[in-house]
């Protein structure tokens, strides 16, 4: 039942003008359809939404007697009391979207409830009811918003191009589609289907329907719930090889609501820490469910910002779950033979390097790509998926349906079962049998169903890094005296590194104008190349508390780098030792600088390449 909110409650709702353009209209209409319990929603836009936006749903509909009421300010069927406001379970609750949209457009609503035999058509011009009549229609609601902002030229002027506005709409709808895999969502732009989901509840399938095949086989499904059941996370996370230069492919939902949230961003960063280069971001889709009392959604009128009351608990729940997912077997990067390689990772310029191809002999790479796939884009620019605005104006329903059927068939041909990985099946290096060493650098190994190439330097770095970090914790401040002290020349102007070094456990004695004797070293670094470390430290230390986690990370990274020598040929014993040490690491998958420690090629992959399968 729609009614006008009491003034005292209306006053408590974050106020503001939210209808800023086509995407805002689409968002409000789609949210209304979802709130109305729709299981199928079709969105059509023309000219980026400027000409018209039509949202059709098969939800509850609105009874004839309440249709006008829905357009009044603070008219909502969703909350009544202040208590309801604290336990919002619907996407809408402010009761002003329909009214605001109607004032800046010509709007038609056609709607019918299941109880009625005949539906209602309401037509409003600039917010004023121009016509109301009975009409035959399906149960559900169709809202058509025409000529948005025609009566507010100032706002019209600030709209983007058709293509630009269309891209924003597509971006929103793609997220809505993956948030609601139980809803069959269809998106039509200028007469062409951009995508459609099946509505069968398969979250992974919805993601692939929207973002296409580029992510196929790259997402690790993860699921977890906390002890009292107040937090549940479903996530699809890409292995670190699939990183992006921006956070655009980090998509978060909380209780079905698309949000941008710092707590969640930080949790993702924490989980991937040490697995990615600086400036690279992982691809993750997070679906968090919480009891409504855990968060405040009423802090911004656009409703896409939230505040967790206990962000620490929620952050560590998310980070912990993702970390476990990243340590499962599914997270081991796959290796593809005969691949054209997109050169997206480079230690010196990880962000700016354009994709390039390498010859096939270099195919063993950190960024594998199947040769038969189209060139992989680093981000999913909306324009690439969307047809140009100049495309056919007419909606040819026959072509449209046949296109959809074709797509359906293609999809079911390689349907993917959504089986969350078991979080207690971590990858174990102890299972591997070493088979030899290539180029004095790569250890070949195998288990029952895959072969592996392990970069011995990256692996060694990872092992040392974790050992040093551990020693920092366990042997805090302990030093080892040097029987034959080395000398160390302090670079000019680097005196400020002396106090932090002393805190770390170094004992340095002045020996000449800028020369020091290293009398003692921290126990955690006893076996390392101290001179190399000191030089790195002198160059890399830019101040900061030596006890901080961040600085300790950097110190451990420097220290282990200083320890890894060039092409040492390892003995069989040393190889076994290295695998054993890797197995003991918290994160054996990449070196501290983010390079992978090993690659895997499954038996199936080999069979495909040898055309046995
Ligand atoms: P809110 O969603 O914040 O309640 P709106 O202005 O968006 O406010 O909608 C007002 C009311 O109209 C809703 O509370 C709902 O009762 C009704 N309504 C709007 N759209 C639909 C729809 N597609 N199907 C059924 N009811 C709807
Ligand atoms: Mg609404």
């Amino acid at each position: 039942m729609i009614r006008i909110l009491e003034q005292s409650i209306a006053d408590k709702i974050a106020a503001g003008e939210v209808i800023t353009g086509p995407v805002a209209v689409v968002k409000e209409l789609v949210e209304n359809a979802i709130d109305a319990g729709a299981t199928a929603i079709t969105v059509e836009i023309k000219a980026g939404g400027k000409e018209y936006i039509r949202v059709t749903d098969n939800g509850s509909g609105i009874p004839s007697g309440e249709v006008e009421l829905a357009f009044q300010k603070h008219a909502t069927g969703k909350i009544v009391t202040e208590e309801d406001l604290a336990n919002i379970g619907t996407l809408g609750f402010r009761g002003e979207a329909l009214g605001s949209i109607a004032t800046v457009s010509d709007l038609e609503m056609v709607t019918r409830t299941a109880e009625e035999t005949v539906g209602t058509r309401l037509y409003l011009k600039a917010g004023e009811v121009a016509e109301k009549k009975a009409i035959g229609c399906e149960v559900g609601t169709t809202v058509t918003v025409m000529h948005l902002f025609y009566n507010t030229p100032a706002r019209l002027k600030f709209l983007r191009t058709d293509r630009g506005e269309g891209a924003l709409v597509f971006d929103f709808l793609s997220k809505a589609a993956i948030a609601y895999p139980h809803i069959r969502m269809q998106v039509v732009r200028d007469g062409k289907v951009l995508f459609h989901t099946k509505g069968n509840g398969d979250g992974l399938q919805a993601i692939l329907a929207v973002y296409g095949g580029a992510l196929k086989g790259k997402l690790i499904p993860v699921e977890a719930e906390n002890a009292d059941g107040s937090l549940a996370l479903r996530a699809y996370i890409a292995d670190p090889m699939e990183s992006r230069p921006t956070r655009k492919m980090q998509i978060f939902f909380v209780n079905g609501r698309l949000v941008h949230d710092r707590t969640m961003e930080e949790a993702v960063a924490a989980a991937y820490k040490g697995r990615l280069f600086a400036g690279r971001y992982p691809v993750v889709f997070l679906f968090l469910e919480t009891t409504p009392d855990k968060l405040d959604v009423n802090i911004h009128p656009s409703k896409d910002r939230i505040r967790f009351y206990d962000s620490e608990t929620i952050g560590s729940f998310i980070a912990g779950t993702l970390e476990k997912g990243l340590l499962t077997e599914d997270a081991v990067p796959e290796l593809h033979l005969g691949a054209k390689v997109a050169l997206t990772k480079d230690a010196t310029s990880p962000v700016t390097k354009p994709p390039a191809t390498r010859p096939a002999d270099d195919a063993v790479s950190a960024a594998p790509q199947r040769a038969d796939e189209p060139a992989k884009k680093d981000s999913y620019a909306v324009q690439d998926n969307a047809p140009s605005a100049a495309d056919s104006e007419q909606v040819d329903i026959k072509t449209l349906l046949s296109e959809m059927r074709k797509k359906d068939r293609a999809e079911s041909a390689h349907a993917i079962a959504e089986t969350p990985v078991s979080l207690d099946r971590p990858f174990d290096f102890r299972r591997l049998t070493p088979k030899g060493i290539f180029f004095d650098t790569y250890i070949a190994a195998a288990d029952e169903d895959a072969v592996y190439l392990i970069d011995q330097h990256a692996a060694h770095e990872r092992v040392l890094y974790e050992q040093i970090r551990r020693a920092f914790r366990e042997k805090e401040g302990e030093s080892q005296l040097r029987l034959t002290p080395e000398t160390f020349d302090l670079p000019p102007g680097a005196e400020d590194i002396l106090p932090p070094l002393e805190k770390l456990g170094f004992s340095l004695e002045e020996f000449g104008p800028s020369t020091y004797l290293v009398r003692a070293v921290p126990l955690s670094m006893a076996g390392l190349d101290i001179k190399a470390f000191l030089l790195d430290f002198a160059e890399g230390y830019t101040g900061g508390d030596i006890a901080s986690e961040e600085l300790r990370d950097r110190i451990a990274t420097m220290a282990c780098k200083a320890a890894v020598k060039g092409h040492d040929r390892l003995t069989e014993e040393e190889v076994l030792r290295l695998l054993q040490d890797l197995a003991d690491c918290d994160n054996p998958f990449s070196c501290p600088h983010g390079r992978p420690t090993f690659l895997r090629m499954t038996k199936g992959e080999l069979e495909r390449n040898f055309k046995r399968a």
Side-chain angles (χ1 to χ4, degrees):
M1 161 115 166
I2 305 176
R3 55 175 109 207
I4 312 273
L5 287 177
E6 270 176 45
Q7 192 57 43
S8 63
I9 300 166
D11 289 346
K12 292 200 167 63
I13 294 176
E17 187 50 74
V18 293
I19 305 306
T20 48
V23 67
V25 173
V26 169
K27 181 169 187 287
E28 293 296 339
L29 297 182
V30 167
E31 289 187 350
N32 280 349
I34 294 170
D35 285 347
T39 57
I41 300 173
T42 297
V43 181
E44 296 163 72
I45 63 167
K46 179 88 185 287
K50 295 177 197 167
E51 214 171 303
Y52 69 79
I53 295 165
R54 177 179 299 126
V55 177
T56 304
D57 69 59
N58 64 351
S60 63
I62 303 175
S64 180
E66 294 180 16
V67 177
E68 288 110 314
L69 201 51
F71 291 89
Q72 287 185 30
K73 201 168 163 71
H74 294 308
T76 179
K78 296 167 192 174
I79 61 170
V80 180
T81 66
E82 205 175 317
E83 232 163 82
D84 296 338
L85 196 54
N87 285 291
I88 291 165
T90 53
L91 297 169
F93 55 83
R94 300 157 44 77
E96 57 179 33
L98 279 182
S100 312
I101 296 168
T103 356
V104 291
S105 67
D106 292 337
L107 189 150
E108 179 196 62
M109 178 183 270
V110 174
T111 184
R112 177 163 79 88
T113 62
E115 290 74 41
E116 295 164 305
T117 49
V118 63
T120 310
R121 175 181 183 268
L122 189 73
Y123 190 77
L124 301 98
K125 278 188 103 44
E128 299 298 326
V129 176
E131 191 184 47
K132 181 180 182 184
K133 65 172 188 188
I135 191 173
C137 62
E138 301 280 313
V139 172
T141 304
T142 298
V143 177
T144 309
V145 175
M146 287 154 284
H147 319 128
L148 185 65
F149 296 158
Y150 76 95
N151 56 349
T152 52
R155 276 200 257 177
L156 189 61
K157 213 174 71 194
F158 279 105
L159 291 185
R160 295 158 207 245
T161 60
D162 293 0
R163 204 183 176 78
E165 292 294 344
L168 294 178
V169 170
F170 172 86
D171 186 51
F172 165 74
L173 289 172
S174 49
K175 287 162 184 168
I178 61 180
Y180 295 93
H182 290 283
I183 298 177
R184 186 185 158 88
M185 194 90 86
Q186 181 177 314
V187 176
V188 180
R189 177 173 132 162
D190 298 314
K192 282 225 161 151
V193 178
L194 292 193
F195 68 80
H196 78 282
T197 59
K198 285 191 175 26
N200 62 0
D202 185 335
L204 188 53
Q205 208 171 61
I207 290 174
L208 297 178
V210 173
Y211 290 101
L215 288 176
K216 184 176 283 163
K218 307 251 167 77
L219 295 173
I220 309 161
V222 183
E223 268 179 12
E225 203 179 301
N226 73 345
D228 67 2
S230 62
L231 286 175
L233 181 68
R234 177 166 60 89
Y236 303 94
I237 61 176
D239 71 56
M241 302 294 112
E242 274 304 306
S243 67
R244 297 282 187 275
T246 69
R247 284 204 188 85
K248 267 195 202 134
M249 289 296 282
Q250 297 190 0
I251 299 174
F252 305 149
F253 299 94
V254 176
N255 297 342
R257 192 191 298 272
L258 178 69
V259 297
H260 297 279
D261 180 65
R262 273 297 288 273
T263 302
M264 297 177 81
E265 269 172 23
E266 281 164 13
V268 169
Y272 279 81
K273 191 159 191 260
R275 291 179 167 88
L276 290 167
F277 286 115
R280 301 292 301 182
Y281 300 92
V283 176
V284 296
F285 299 86
L286 305 188
F287 301 85
L288 185 71
E289 297 292 330
T290 74
T291 44
D293 60 303
K294 286 222 172 339
L295 71 161
D296 185 357
V297 296
N298 186 27
I299 59 173
H300 191 272
S302 74
K303 296 175 289 184
D304 68 346
R305 304 262 159 194
I306 49 168
R307 193 175 65 226
F308 292 116
Y309 294 120
D310 182 3
S311 56
E312 214 164 291
T313 305
I314 288 177
S316 61
F317 170 70
I318 295 173
T321 305
L322 301 191
E323 249 167 80
K324 277 186 218 144
L326 286 171
L327 289 175
T328 54
E329 200 156 329
D330 301 46
V332 178
E334 295 280 330
L335 180 148
H336 301 279
L337 282 186
K340 286 208 187 87
V341 173
L343 192 62
T344 52
K345 295 224 163 121
D346 184 300
T348 50
S349 57
V351 186
T352 50
K353 201 111 192 166
T357 48
R358 282 196 207 163
D361 66 346
D362 224 348
V364 175
S365 152
Q369 185 191 350
R370 295 287 302 266
D372 53 349
E373 274 173 10
K376 184 165 52 182
K377 307 256 166 39
D378 215 354
S379 64
Y380 297 86
V382 173
Q383 290 87 332
D384 297 326
N385 271 342
S388 85
D391 281 338
S392 107
E393 300 249 309
Q394 292 277 314
V395 185
D396 180 348
I397 201 77
K398 254 176 44 215
T399 341
L400 208 140
L401 285 174
S402 93
E403 250 175 51
M404 274 171 61
R405 269 199 300 274
K406 247 190 274 165
K407 216 171 153 211
D408 258 344
R409 269 201 302 273
E411 269 163 19
S412 54
H414 22 55
I416 290 159
E418 184 190 347
T419 35
V421 294
S422 151
L423 293 182
D424 38 49
R425 183 167 55 88
F427 182 78
D428 191 355
F429 286 86
R430 275 171 282 241
R431 277 208 323 257
L432 304 186
T433 320
K435 302 284 185 190
I437 298 175
F438 298 132
F439 313 124
D440 288 348
T441 304
Y442 306 107
I443 300 166
D447 62 15
E448 320 77 65
D449 40 41
V451 293
Y452 301 81
L453 285 177
I454 299 146
D455 179 327
Q456 71 180 45
H457 302 301
H460 198 193
E461 280 194 11
R462 166 53 63 184
V463 167
L464 281 167
Y465 170 81
E466 293 210 4
Q467 283 173 354
I468 293 164
R469 288 294 278 143
R470 214 168 298 146
F472 269 167
R473 275 196 304 275
E474 290 161 11
K475 303 191 176 125
E476 178 89 59
E478 290 179 50
S479 302
Q480 185 190 60
L481 279 179
R482 292 261 144 144
L483 294 178
T484 48
E486 290 172 275
T487 57
F488 166 64
D489 292 324
L490 195 67
E495 286 73 22
D496 61 332
I497 70 163
L498 296 175
L501 283 176
E502 236 144 67
K503 266 202 184 153
L504 274 176
F506 282 94
S507 169
L508 301 166
E509 190 182 301
E510 237 177 311
F511 191 61
S514 62
T515 306
Y516 287 78
L517 274 183
V518 185
R519 285 264 175 222
V521 303
L523 208 52
S524 53
M525 298 189 191
L528 307 185
D529 182 343
I530 293 300
K531 263 182 150 166
F533 168 76
L534 288 174
L535 275 176
D536 264 15
F537 189 73
E539 203 179 297
Y541 179 70
T542 50
D545 181 4
I546 206 79
S548 80
E549 282 297 307
E550 194 204 332
L551 195 56
R552 286 179 170 214
D553 256 11
R554 277 192 17 231
I555 290 170
T557 310
M558 286 179 198
C560 71
K561 196 175 110 219
V564 178
K565 304 283 188 325
H567 294 240
D568 297 327
R569 174 146 269 257
L570 300 182
T571 63
E572 205 179 313
E573 210 170 293
E574 286 168 324
V575 169
L576 286 171
R577 172 88 234 156
L578 187 59
L579 294 184
Q580 173 74 43
D581 287 345
L582 262 184
D584 291 336
C585 283
D586 292 332
N587 168 18
F589 291 147
S590 63
C591 83
H593 310 94
R595 270 181 289 118
T597 49
F598 68 110
L599 300 169
R600 170 177 70 168
M601 177 180 262
T602 60
K603 206 168 154 216
E605 185 83 28
L606 275 174
E607 280 166 354
R608 271 195 297 286
N609 278 290
F610 283 115
K611 314 280 182 224
R612 282 163 165 265

